[in-house]
Amino acid sequence: MIQRSGLLMLTIAFTMLCLPASAAAQSTCSNFGTISIDGGSYIYQNNEWNSGLEQCATVNGLGFSLTTANFNSGTNGAPATYPSIFRGCHWGNCTTSNPFPIEENNIASASTSVTISQPSGYNDDAAYDIWFNQTSTTSGQPNGTEIMIWINHEGSPQPFGSKTATATIGGTSWDVWTGRQSSWNIVSYVRQTPVTSVTNLNLLPFFSDAVSRGSLQPSWWLIDVEYGFEIWTGGQGLGVSGYSVSAAAGGGGGGTQCAAVPSEPSGVRGTAASSSVINVSWTADTAPANCTIRSYKVFRSTSSGFSPSASNQIASGVTGTSYSDSGLAPATIYYYAVEAVDAFGTSPASATASAQTAAAGGGSGTACHVVYQITNQWPGGFGASIAINNTGSTALNNWTLTWTFANGQTVTQLWNGNTTQSGATVKVTNMSYNGSIPAGGSYTGVGFNGTWNNTINAIPTSFAVNGTTCH
């Protein structure tokens, strides 16, 4: 959490170094030095607000690296600094190309990409810092909500406030921390499986989740999206590249904002993948005029006549059209319903669908379990992560993972594995550094970007490792 002093931020004179997009790299060592990037579309800020030690950064393209940084702040307090790139308005310092402000209930789209370099041995987090204000502009401390999204961190620091929940957003599990500073709310999302890059990360499900928790009001204004490192100790060598932020309003104001909830989702179905996993999928919902489907909620019960409620909700912020429900009891019938969310609110629940898990011990000799999660989805494309769990008594060596897509999906880029695809069948083999999964262990590093048909993106129902069907 960035515990800035509003008075301090108001009285600091920013140093602006104008840098055309094609110019050579430039540097700053000033505590609050800034550098204009891409003709002013983005601004780098040293933002060393809680330390007097020297911090120097070099900016090149849509990124930066810290060339001097050796902080020594205690990890039980505020960080020393937050060097970052932003788009929007930070304490009255605004980028020239700026899609903000946008009222939360009128944001049609908001997405971002970034890649980081994060040496080990420090105490820091690599995080988005996203600011909402109760009015459309401010020259000082925003008085609405600060949303932080930690995609990675090193050492022992934790977000401000207290951990209050775990949420599944975009097919990924996040720890949720909430708190209240003197004049603004804070909600932080910490990725349970850290990554060093995100591509077209959809921010809308995070905003919707913050609204559902009462941390963010739909009438407040998005004014600024920042990305950088909160640093407690060390820092030299931390870097960002390929940073981008895009956003658009739903109807352009003037009475054309989203003003209706979606219709109930259709085509919900459940498919048992094992004795403990059911894959749920549905048809992409159609948004009302001036609206965009932001995400879906998934509900589960063992009763056929259940009513969706907070007590039986198992996922929110799902941006794809499928969800893998794991940890279930064998030989048990489960019932599912889905709701769609837009800027105006939540749809009625879908009709229920059911599926029964396999009996315990099915698939004799099974020694693996695969968890496939859609982490992000956009028109024509999606991202997914795969965890291979070795449930057997011996190591899985030189593993080969296979599955078959059901809806014409293709893998376009895969990491931490070698891949081939023939028709709908995908084959992934290990790299030299991840070829052994110990008994009882798991490997969670496989992920990929792919294409889909914009209608159905169902999770594959069957996986095999080294020729053995996984359950």
Side-chain angles (χ1 to χ4, degrees), residues 101-179:
I102 309 175
E103 200 170 6
E104 194 283 331
N105 62 15
N106 193 38
I107 305 174
S109 64
S111 61
T112 178
S113 301
V114 73
T115 297
I116 63 170
S117 175
Q118 191 175 24
S120 60
Y122 300 152
N123 285 280
D124 59 66
D125 64 62
Y128 288 93
D129 198 17
I130 303 169
W131 291 95
F132 285 83
N133 197 60
Q134 293 184 24
T135 58
S136 60
T137 184
T138 180
S139 59
Q141 170 67 57
N143 63 357
T145 301
E146 179 184 12
I147 294 178
M148 297 203 74
I149 303 174
W150 292 27
I151 70 167
N152 211 322
H153 61 280
E154 289 283 340
S156 60
Q158 296 178 333
F160 176 85
S162 58
K163 181 180 174 182
T164 55
T166 297
T168 300
I169 298 177
T172 299
S173 294
W174 304 80
D175 293 330
V176 184
W177 294 65
T178 57

Side-chain angles (χ1 to χ4, degrees), residues 42 85 87 109-115 128 130 149 151 197-204 206-207 225-227 242-247 376 378:
Y42 296 86
I85 295 180
R87 190 175 194 191
S109 64
S111 61
T112 178
S113 301
V114 73
T115 297
Y128 288 93
I130 303 169
I149 303 174
I151 70 167
S197 67
V198 292
T199 302
N200 295 322
L201 177 67
N202 186 1
L203 297 176
L204 296 185
F206 295 95
F207 301 163
V225 178
E226 310 180 5
Y227 191 87
Y243 179 58
S244 65
V245 177
S246 62
N376 196 14
W378 58 94

Side-chain angles (χ1 to χ4, degrees), residues 269-275 277-281 322-324 355 358 369-372 402-407 409 424 456-464 469-471:
R269 58 192 177 277
T271 303
S274 70
S275 60
V277 178
I278 291 176
N279 293 327
V280 186
S281 60
S322 59
Y323 179 76
S324 183
H369 171 61
V370 172
V371 177
Y372 175 111
T402 58
W403 72 87
T404 300
F405 284 124
N407 310 115
Q409 301 97 323
I456 300 176
N457 191 10
I459 292 175
T461 58
S462 179
F463 296 87
T469 301
C470 298
H471 289 262

Side-chain angles (χ1 to χ4, degrees), residues 97 210 213 238 403:
S97 173
R213 298 179 190 281
L238 291 170
W403 72 87

Side-chain angles (χ1 to χ4, degrees), residues 28-305:
T28 179
C29 295
S30 173
N31 285 31
F32 290 93
T34 62
I35 297 175
S36 178
I37 302 172
D38 193 22
S41 297
Y42 296 86
I43 293 175
Y44 169 78
Q45 54 183 1
N46 240 11
N47 202 19
E48 186 185 343
W49 62 277
N50 193 35
S51 173
L53 299 177
E54 186 175 54
Q55 173 180 276
C56 296
T58 296
V59 172
N60 196 350
L62 291 176
F64 68 89
S65 61
L66 296 185
T67 56
T68 301
N70 188 23
F71 296 101
N72 56 9
S73 298
T75 57
N76 59 343
T81 181
Y82 181 63
S84 52
I85 295 180
F86 71 90
R87 190 175 194 191
C89 291
H90 175 97
W91 272 252
N93 188 24
C94 299
T95 55
T96 57
S97 173
N98 187 355
F100 315 121
I102 309 175
E103 200 170 6
E104 194 283 331
N105 62 15
N106 193 38
I107 305 174
S109 64
S111 61
T112 178
S113 301
V114 73
T115 297
I116 63 170
S117 175
Q118 191 175 24
S120 60
Y122 300 152
N123 285 280
D124 59 66
D125 64 62
Y128 288 93
D129 198 17
I130 303 169
W131 291 95
F132 285 83
N133 197 60
Q134 293 184 24
T135 58
S136 60
T137 184
T138 180
S139 59
Q141 170 67 57
N143 63 357
T145 301
E146 179 184 12
I147 294 178
M148 297 203 74
I149 303 174
W150 292 27
I151 70 167
N152 211 322
H153 61 280
E154 289 283 340
S156 60
Q158 296 178 333
F160 176 85
S162 58
K163 181 180 174 182
T164 55
T166 297
T168 300
I169 298 177
T172 299
S173 294
W174 304 80
D175 293 330
V176 184
W177 294 65
T178 57
R180 171 76 180 174
Q181 272 286 7
S182 57
S183 61
W184 74 97
N185 299 326
I186 303 153
V187 55
S188 300
Y189 298 90
V190 180
R191 205 179 197 278
Q192 290 188 344
T193 305
V195 294
T196 57
S197 67
V198 292
T199 302
N200 295 322
L201 177 67
N202 186 1
L203 297 176
L204 296 185
F206 295 95
F207 301 163
S208 296
D209 185 84
V211 169
S212 71
R213 298 179 190 281
S215 296
L216 174 63
Q217 297 300 313
S219 62
W220 294 354
W221 295 79
L222 174 61
I223 62 172
D224 182 27
V225 178
E226 310 180 5
Y227 191 87
F229 302 94
E230 289 187 305
I231 306 170
W232 283 260
T233 66
Q236 184 167 314
L238 291 170
V240 165
S241 62
Y243 179 58
S244 65
V245 177
S246 62
T256 58
Q257 294 185 3
C258 178
V261 300
S263 60
E264 63 271 15
S266 62
V268 180
R269 58 192 177 277
T271 303
S274 70
S275 60
S276 62
V277 178
I278 291 176
N279 293 327
V280 186
S281 60
W282 54 91
T283 301
D285 208 3
T286 300
N290 301 313
C291 300
T292 300
I293 301 300
R294 291 187 167 191
S295 61
Y296 297 91
K297 301 177 182 179
V298 183
F299 303 84
R300 179 191 68 210
S301 176
T302 54
S303 173
S304 60

